[in-house]
Amino acid sequence: FDVIAAGIFGDASHFSIEKRPRRFAFPLETDAGCGGLRPQAIIQDDMEWFGHAFIPLFVAFDAVGLLPLFWALTQRLNAGQRRRAVTEAVQTAFFVTIGFLLISRFVFTLMGLELADVMVAGGIILVVLCLRDLLLPEELPQGSSHASPGVVPLGVPLLAGPAALATVLLVRDRYGWPVTLGALIDNMA
C-alpha cells in the first residue's frame, strides 16, 4: 500500500497503515510569546486519534441510514414501544460489539483466521441472506403480535453487523483499547 501511495502521491508517510507510536512523555518546546517553556499538548494527538476512530465507526454503524428501516419495522408500535425498541437495539449492539472485541482475538487464533477472512465471510452471509429475502419473501400474518424488533433485526445485524464488527477490530488494532472504547461509546450515545 505504501508503495502504491508513494507512486501516486509522492510522499506516502501519511498513508502508512502501521500503528502510529504513542507519545507518553511531555516534550518541551519553546514559546517565544510566553517567554519560556511549556509542555506540548498530548491531548491533541488523542483527540486526533479519537476522530480517526469515531468517523469509521459512525459510517459502519450507519444509524442515519437505518432510520427508514427503523420506521418500517416499528410503524405498528406506539411511541413508548418505539423508545424501548431503540434502547434495546443500542444496548444489544453495544454489548455484542464489546463481547466481540473481548473474544475475537482468542477465537481467531484458535480457528486460524485473520480479519480479512471474517470480512469476506460476513459479506457472503449478507449476500446469501439478501438473496433469500429477495427471492423467497415471507408473508407476515396481519393479526399476530410480534416481539419488539429492537434486538433482532435492529440491534444485530443492522447496527452491529459485519461491517461494524470488522471496523471495531481494525480501530482497536490501529489505535488501542481506550480510543476504541471511547469512540464506540460516543457512537452509541
Side-chain angles (χ1 to χ4, degrees):
F1 180 77
D2 290 338
V3 174
I4 295 170
I8 296 171
F9 300 105
D11 177 27
S13 62
H14 57 283
F15 289 105
S16 177
I17 57 173
E18 298 292 322
K19 185 175 178 180
R20 291 185 281 175
R22 291 189 64 106
R23 294 183 299 167
F24 291 103
F26 288 97
L28 296 176
E29 63 180 288
T30 60
D31 187 359
C34 293
L37 297 174
R38 64 177 173 84
Q40 182 178 350
I42 236 174
I43 296 172
Q44 182 178 356
D45 273 351
D46 289 340
M47 290 306 295
E48 180 182 336
W49 285 15
F50 176 79
H52 288 287
F54 179 84
I55 303 261
L57 288 175
F58 183 78
V59 171
F61 284 119
D62 192 23
V64 176
L66 289 178
L67 286 176
L69 288 170
F70 171 76
W71 183 253
L73 291 170
T74 61
Q75 66 184 356
R76 62 181 162 68
L77 303 176
N78 63 33
Q81 291 172 324
R82 277 193 194 115
R83 279 191 296 275
R84 194 180 94 226
V86 168
T87 303
E88 288 174 354
V90 170
Q91 287 176 347
T92 301
F94 179 75
F95 288 121
V96 165
T97 306
I98 292 293
F100 190 72
L101 275 172
L102 292 173
I103 66 169
S104 63
R105 199 167 276 170
F106 171 74
V107 172
F108 289 177
T109 303
L110 186 68
M111 297 177 74
L113 297 174
E114 293 182 10
L115 183 58
D117 301 329
V118 175
M119 292 168 65
V120 169
I124 291 171
I125 289 171
L126 284 178
V127 167
V128 169
L129 291 176
C130 290
L131 287 175
R132 186 195 68 177
D133 287 345
L134 286 172
L135 299 175
L136 305 169
E138 296 178 12
E139 292 282 328
L140 294 176
Q142 293 295 329
S144 66
S145 63
H146 297 285
S148 170
V151 175
V152 175
L154 289 176
V156 174
L158 292 177
L159 268 179
L165 296 177
T167 304
V168 165
L169 292 180
L170 290 171
V171 168
R172 179 198 62 196
D173 290 345
R174 174 93 187 228
Y175 300 109
W177 277 94
V179 174
T180 303
L181 288 177
L184 178 64
I185 290 170
D186 278 1
N187 268 294
M188 292 294 170

